[in-house]
Amino acid sequence: MALVCCGGVSLAIYMHGMSAEILKLVRASGALHSLTNRTRRATASYVDVDDRNESEFDTESIYFELLRDIGRTVDLRVIVDIIAGASAGGINATMLARALSHDLSMSRLRDLWLENADVAELLAPNARAHNWSKWFVRPLVWLGQVSGLKHFRDREVRSKLSLFLRSRWFEPPLDGTKMTGFMYDAVIAMGQPRRPGASLLPSRHTLDLFVTTTDYYGYQQLVQIHDPPTICEFEHRHVLHFSYSRNARGVEDSDFDLANAPALVFAARATSSFPGAFPPARIVEIDDLLRERSATWPRRTAFIQSNFEPYRQANIDPVSVSFIDGSVLNNRPFHEALAAIHGRPAYREVDRRVVYIDPDPSPRRAPAHHGLPGFFAMLHGAWSNIPRAQPIADELGWVLEFNEQARQLKEIVESARPQINDHVATLMEMTQEWTLTEEQISRWRDLANVQAERDAGFAYDGYVRLKLVSSRAFVSRLIMDIRGVRPKSPFARAIAEVVDAWAARTGSTYEAPGMSPAHRDATTALCPIPRWVKLLLAFDVDYRKRRLHFLIRGQNWLYQVAESGAAETIAAAAVDSLKGRFYACLDGLYQRERNPIFNSSTRALVAEVFPMEPSSNEATDIVAYARARLARHQDAVDRLMEQLAIDIDLDATTRDIDRLLEESIGNGWPPEAAREVLVNYLGFPFFDVLTFPLMRWREAGEFDEVLIDRISAQDATVLHGLDWVPKVRGVDFEHFAAFLSRAYRENDYLLGRLHALDRLIDIVCNSAGADAVRDLDLVNLKLRGFMHILDAEQPHLPNSKAMIAKMRSGFEELARRHAVHP
């Protein structure tokens, strides 16, 4: 699941209830899959598995039971690996990501929300109204009471609304420093992992968190156009990125530990600094808080370097930059979540869901188009309502197109597979007594490349040209990283043009059918390898990634064979091991691509060839500039390309796979299972010629569709429409209502949990498929889950006793009716 958490001001409390429920689902799933013995798993309960001394376990047992029973048909695990949030959703996204990364409890956060998310607590001392401040507001509140308006019947709401309206105007009335302290307490209250390495992320999986915020002043960046060659534009959107990963050896790389707590606090504070209510957030505010509390921030420099590089390039110190609410420009950060999906690891077949939490979805009604909007209505709509409520139709349309192409690509691959299998079968002979060697695999791979080139005919021309474009782009990115150049800037364009000019001068472009990498075999050992082939061997990282993704995904059918119990099958553990080794190779490729280690001489050559960005006059004709620079530095550019190839050493990664296959499947694997692995490896050039021109903009091997589900009050199938289930209170007063009443906050937190459980069970069951849940009583399961929530939360919600009693009675009646008429 990739989660998208939308904004909603005081609806943060409602979304916290949803976040808590998502955490419980993932924890229950992890507990179930900690049981490797399938016989024990089939009869286990949650309390048998989780031995923590933690009192607040409730719906974990419901999710555990559901996944256990589904497991009789489908071995399903729930993993949240991407979270994107804005404003109130950004706060909850940050806290949930920390809890998932280190398997932490969020129960203490409930109390912090209920106690501190209150106008009386958050008002700045020098903004707080006195008895006679703006006395003329009091009659307005009194009129609301005598008029019988629903919210004015609540004494606490009347009192705090009066206090808020009579407090400071024309300056933010709420205290940013208090909010920062509240966020700091929330992060710290989650504590340390219960044991070293505790996490709800499986090994080799990464959790990415994206939190949107808005730079009020923005920073200038050069943008290249035709005439004038460069212009200056301001960038106000900003996204903070945090991640967690754990390799196969259990070594963690986490942005969510306590050493980075101040960075998480800043993200939560910055994304929710609602304009007009809170002052802008600044990193210096975090520094002041830490000095006041005698706390440290060991990873401060790393956080600033990784998240504010554009500011350094613009000569701006990000420490004093003013950030306001992330929902001003990006209230529904779908793009960040969708972009992060590409290339995610998948040890088994994946049902990829983007689940977005919408605390206040638009009702299904036709918009009113009668009458002209008034002056203040237009200003309010332009400044706030319209930007925040902008539909996500564009993003969802992109997903629909994405899914359609995924289906087409699957169809192409599956229809071509029989013919490609025949081609590969002619290259190798496998008997019952066969053995594999690295040299044999390498020779088969070379022959397959030759055959793919011959069979592709004239289509091979376009295919190779695309691969060369990709390889030159990779070279340009390496140089930009060394030089510290912003992508898409005029300087970046100049670097790319120099690389293209070098390729043209050295003959590293594809002009006619020639020698392929496969022609390095013994029959053509004396023939020179064309320069374009050398370029691919040295820098075609994308081809290698596509091949590894294809290999990983191609093994999924082996699990079905392993679980069939037929004779001469491969064990699932052996397939797991092979996939793990493929992922290790993929990790190595990403390491070479994203964090390469460059020789000092390489850096010196980059500084020599690209000492400064082109001037405005030079940028007018960037192609002529590139040719002139290449002419002056031909030898240096040649040495630079050679040195980059040595530093990256991509050709070694192919030899690593040959050796891996020899060690993994060369001895002991049944011939049919080994043959499937080899067909995917040796047949990949055929598949790539077919699919790469169609999917070059997509991540390698990505044939899965992306399904989008929403969690909201409208979508709760059992709860929706029940008149004794209360409404979400925080939607009123422009989403500020829950800040005015503890009873409202208790109401919304409880409803967040109930709505989330209702929807999460639906989403899990839909993922498992109809066959897996046909015999399950899902309504009864949900009703038991609702009662678990009421039992667990009642001691913590003192202002909601009557509401809980009413809902308890309603659920009991539903259960009785369901027992009679299921």
Side-chain angles (χ1 to χ4, degrees):
M1 287 164 44
L3 296 177
V4 177
C5 305
C6 305
V9 197
S10 76
L11 287 167
I13 295 100
Y14 175 64
M15 287 187 281
H16 170 63
M18 292 184 165
S19 299
E21 208 59 34
I22 292 169
L23 177 65
K24 289 173 178 291
L25 168 61
V26 177
R27 180 176 292 134
S29 180
L32 178 67
H33 283 265
S34 68
L35 297 174
T36 57
N37 185 305
R38 289 181 176 273
T39 302
R40 184 187 173 200
R41 184 190 297 182
T43 58
S45 64
Y46 184 75
V47 294
D48 297 331
V49 178
D50 200 297
D51 59 353
R52 280 184 293 184
N53 185 23
E54 169 76 42
S55 59
E56 294 195 12
F57 289 147
D58 39 71
T59 53
E60 286 93 340
S61 62
I62 295 293
Y63 298 124
F64 189 95
E65 177 184 334
L66 173 65
L67 293 167
R68 180 198 66 199
D69 294 345
I70 286 174
R72 297 165 187 159
T73 306
V74 179
D75 190 17
L76 186 69
R77 179 163 185 174
V78 181
I79 297 170
V80 174
D81 60 352
I82 300 166
I83 310 178
S87 191
I91 297 176
N92 283 288
T94 302
M95 303 304 172
L96 178 59
R98 172 159 155 72
L100 290 167
S101 296
H102 298 291
D103 193 8
L104 302 172
S105 171
M106 292 205 301
S107 59
R108 180 71 183 99
L109 300 187
R110 172 200 55 221
D111 302 325
L112 290 171
W113 275 119
L114 296 178
E115 294 164 7
N116 297 327
D118 189 285
V119 161
E121 291 291 328
L122 293 174
L123 275 172
N126 58 350
R128 185 180 292 269
H130 302 292
N131 285 337
W132 292 103
S133 299
K134 302 181 183 66
W135 59 268
F136 52 84
V137 171
R138 292 182 184 271
L140 298 177
V141 178
W142 177 80
L143 285 174
Q145 179 183 0
V146 299
S147 300
L149 298 178
K150 62 177 182 179
H151 293 293
F152 289 85
R153 299 170 194 158
D154 187 301
R155 178 180 296 180
E156 184 183 9
V157 172
R158 294 197 306 271
S159 172
K160 289 179 179 174
L161 181 62
S162 172
L163 175 66
F164 183 69
L165 292 177
R166 292 185 300 107
S167 294
R168 180 172 62 192
W169 291 2
F170 308 115
E171 287 185 55
L174 302 183
D175 193 326
T177 302
K178 279 189 176 181
M179 186 64 171
T180 301
F182 172 29
M183 293 295 100
Y184 185 82
D185 291 338
V187 172
I188 298 301
M190 297 171 73
Q192 295 276 19
R194 57 196 175 101
R195 66 172 186 275
S199 176
L200 294 175
L201 272 294
S203 296
R204 302 193 186 94
H205 277 66
T206 297
L207 171 65
D208 285 301
L209 168 68
F210 302 93
V211 181
T212 68
T213 187
T214 306
D215 179 350
Y216 179 79
Y217 292 104
Y219 58 88
Q220 274 193 339
Q221 57 179 347
L222 289 177
V223 179
Q224 186 160 356
I225 62 173
H226 176 250
D227 187 17
T230 58
I231 59 173
C232 290
E233 289 293 330
F234 278 91
E235 180 62 64
H236 295 272
R237 292 172 298 181
H238 195 71
V239 178
L240 301 172
H241 177 221
F242 303 86
S243 67
Y244 170 90
S245 63
R246 182 166 51 121
N247 65 24
R249 298 184 303 276
V251 178
E252 292 181 312
D253 183 7
S254 176
D255 291 330
F256 299 101
D257 55 17
L258 286 179
N260 205 36
L264 302 175
V265 172
F266 174 75
R269 165 74 173 93
T271 191
S272 60
S273 52
F274 193 87
F278 285 103
R282 300 185 301 164
I283 294 177
V284 69
E285 184 179 287
I286 305 295
D287 295 335
D288 293 342
L289 174 75
L290 296 177
R291 277 194 296 271
E292 179 184 327
R293 300 200 179 193
S294 300
T296 60
W297 187 357
R299 300 179 59 181
R300 181 180 186 274
T301 300
F303 167 69
I304 293 174
Q305 288 177 345
S306 62
N307 281 279
F308 299 97
E309 177 61 21
Y311 290 85
R312 185 195 65 79
Q313 295 179 5
N315 295 316
I316 297 173
D317 183 3
V319 171
S320 299
V321 172
S322 296
F323 291 96
I324 60 176
D325 199 295
S327 65
V328 171
L329 295 176
N330 193 357
N331 189 43
R332 294 170 174 172
F334 269 81
H335 177 75
E336 286 72 21
L338 292 169
I341 288 174
H342 302 329
R344 308 302 289 194
Y347 284 88
R348 297 290 184 97
E349 293 182 79
V350 170
D351 180 30
R352 166 59 68 180
R353 302 294 174 107
V354 174
V355 177
Y356 75 102
I357 298 174
D358 194 342
D360 187 19
S362 300
R364 292 185 179 180
R365 65 168 184 258
H369 284 284
H370 55 275
L372 292 175
F375 175 75
F376 288 106
M378 283 192 297
L379 290 180
H380 185 245
W383 289 345
S384 178
N385 283 359
I386 293 176
R388 289 171 181 274
Q390 177 62 34
I392 57 174
D394 289 345
E395 298 284 4
L396 299 184
W398 182 90
V399 174
L400 291 176
E401 182 182 351
F402 179 99
N403 290 341
E404 178 59 30
Q405 293 200 19
R407 288 189 289 269
Q408 293 173 359
L409 289 170
K410 279 185 177 179
E411 183 178 349
I412 290 171
V413 169
E414 293 307 315
S415 62
R417 185 175 291 275
Q419 185 179 2
I420 293 174
N421 285 358
D422 292 341
H423 281 310
V424 174
T426 62
L427 301 177
M428 57 184 187
E429 294 182 1
M430 297 176 62
T431 65
Q432 289 296 115
E433 303 299 328
W434 64 280
T435 58
L436 279 181
T437 65
E438 178 183 347
E439 292 75 17
Q440 187 180 41
I441 295 172
S442 176
R443 178 171 175 77
W444 284 344
R445 175 169 47 77
D446 288 344
L447 293 172
N449 286 330
V450 171
Q451 188 68 40
E453 179 179 352
R454 290 171 181 167
D455 289 353
F458 67 87
Y460 196 77
D461 183 286
Y463 167 70
V464 171
R465 291 182 189 278
L466 285 173
K467 281 161 58 72
L468 288 169
V469 168
S470 174
S471 300
R472 294 197 299 271
F474 177 53
V475 174
S476 300
R477 291 199 305 272
L478 293 176
I479 296 173
M480 283 187 273
D481 288 344
I482 295 173
R483 188 63 181 79
V485 174
R486 179 176 58 84
K488 299 182 180 180
S489 66
F491 201 177
R493 169 76 189 283
I495 291 172
E497 290 291 347
V498 170
V499 172
D500 289 347
W502 170 84
R505 181 184 66 80
T506 60
S508 299
T509 55
Y510 187 79
E511 299 296 341
M515 192 71 66
S516 73
H519 292 144
R520 291 175 292 161
D521 62 19
T523 61
T524 56
L526 299 179
C527 298
I529 299 177
R531 293 295 297 265
W532 65 266
V533 173
K534 292 181 178 179
L535 181 64
L536 293 178
L537 292 172
F539 299 113
D540 195 357
V541 66
D542 287 338
Y543 176 85
R544 292 165 169 86
K545 288 193 298 182
R546 292 195 302 275
R547 181 171 60 190
L548 277 167
H549 277 285
F550 191 80
L551 276 172
I552 290 167
R553 302 180 60 82
Q555 312 314 309
N556 282 334
W557 83 275
L558 290 176
Y559 288 110
Q560 302 173 17
V561 175
E563 293 167 1
S564 67
E568 297 297 316
T569 58
I570 187 66
V575 184
D576 287 339
S577 175
L578 180 59
K579 274 196 163 184
R581 297 191 67 179
F582 284 154
Y583 272 117
C585 292
L586 191 60
D587 289 343
L589 272 178
Y590 279 119
Q591 184 69 24
R592 283 174 161 84
E593 180 185 31
R594 298 170 181 171
N595 301 297
I597 300 175
F598 296 108
N599 191 289
S600 59
S601 61
T602 308
R603 296 182 178 278
L605 286 168
V606 169
E608 177 184 345
V609 177
F610 304 101
M612 62 185 67
E613 64 181 306
S615 65
S616 297
N617 289 334
E618 290 171 329
T620 303
D621 189 347
I622 201 71
V623 175
Y625 163 83
R627 290 173 179 169
R629 180 146 293 277
L630 178 64
R632 289 196 296 270
H633 300 277
Q634 287 188 20
D635 291 342
V637 175
D638 287 339
R639 295 198 309 274
L640 174 59
M641 297 301 172
E642 292 175 2
Q643 194 61 50
L644 285 172
I646 293 171
D647 289 348
I648 300 300
D649 194 18
L650 286 181
D651 204 22
T653 62
T654 297
R655 297 192 299 271
D656 290 343
I657 299 177
D658 294 343
R659 189 178 310 112
L660 181 159
L661 292 175
E662 175 191 358
E663 296 170 355
S664 298
I665 68 173
N667 297 286
W669 271 49
E672 189 60 29
R675 183 181 182 279
E676 177 66 18
V677 177
L678 289 172
V679 164
N680 286 319
Y681 184 51
L682 303 177
F684 178 72
F686 299 93
F687 290 111
D688 202 46
V689 170
L690 285 173
T691 59
F692 178 54
L694 299 175
M695 59 175 290
R696 61 186 182 275
W697 57 275
R698 299 168 67 129
E699 193 62 49
E702 191 173 315
F703 301 142
D704 284 323
E705 297 181 46
V706 176
L707 305 181
I708 297 182
D709 299 304
R710 185 177 72 175
I711 299 180
S712 76
Q714 290 181 12
D715 308 310
T717 53
V718 171
L719 294 172
H720 187 61
L722 298 176
D723 55 8
W724 42 266
V725 174
K727 307 300 182 184
V728 178
R729 299 292 192 182
V731 299
D732 294 312
F733 293 127
E734 294 294 328
H735 294 171
F736 269 86
F739 288 159
L740 303 174
S741 166
R742 162 123 190 179
Y744 283 10
R745 292 194 292 279
E746 292 182 6
N747 175 91
D748 287 3
Y749 164 70
L750 186 63
L751 287 179
R753 289 202 60 188
L754 294 170
H755 290 157
L757 181 138
D758 198 334
R759 288 294 292 135
L760 289 172
I761 289 178
D762 288 344
I763 292 169
V764 168
C765 291
N766 180 264
S767 176
D771 290 341
V773 300
R774 182 172 288 113
D775 298 327
L776 303 184
D777 188 346
L778 299 178
V779 172
N780 178 268
L781 188 74
K782 288 183 179 182
L783 291 174
R784 288 194 287 121
F786 297 153
M787 296 298 280
H788 280 349
I789 292 173
L790 297 184
D791 291 341
E793 298 297 351
Q794 183 167 347
H796 307 283
L797 308 178
N799 296 336
S800 303
K801 292 180 180 178
M803 177 186 71
I804 290 175
K806 187 175 182 179
M807 284 198 290
R808 189 185 300 278
S809 176
F811 290 142
E812 289 172 350
E813 177 60 26
L814 272 182
R816 283 193 293 269
R817 294 208 309 259
H818 179 69
V820 176
H821 302 289

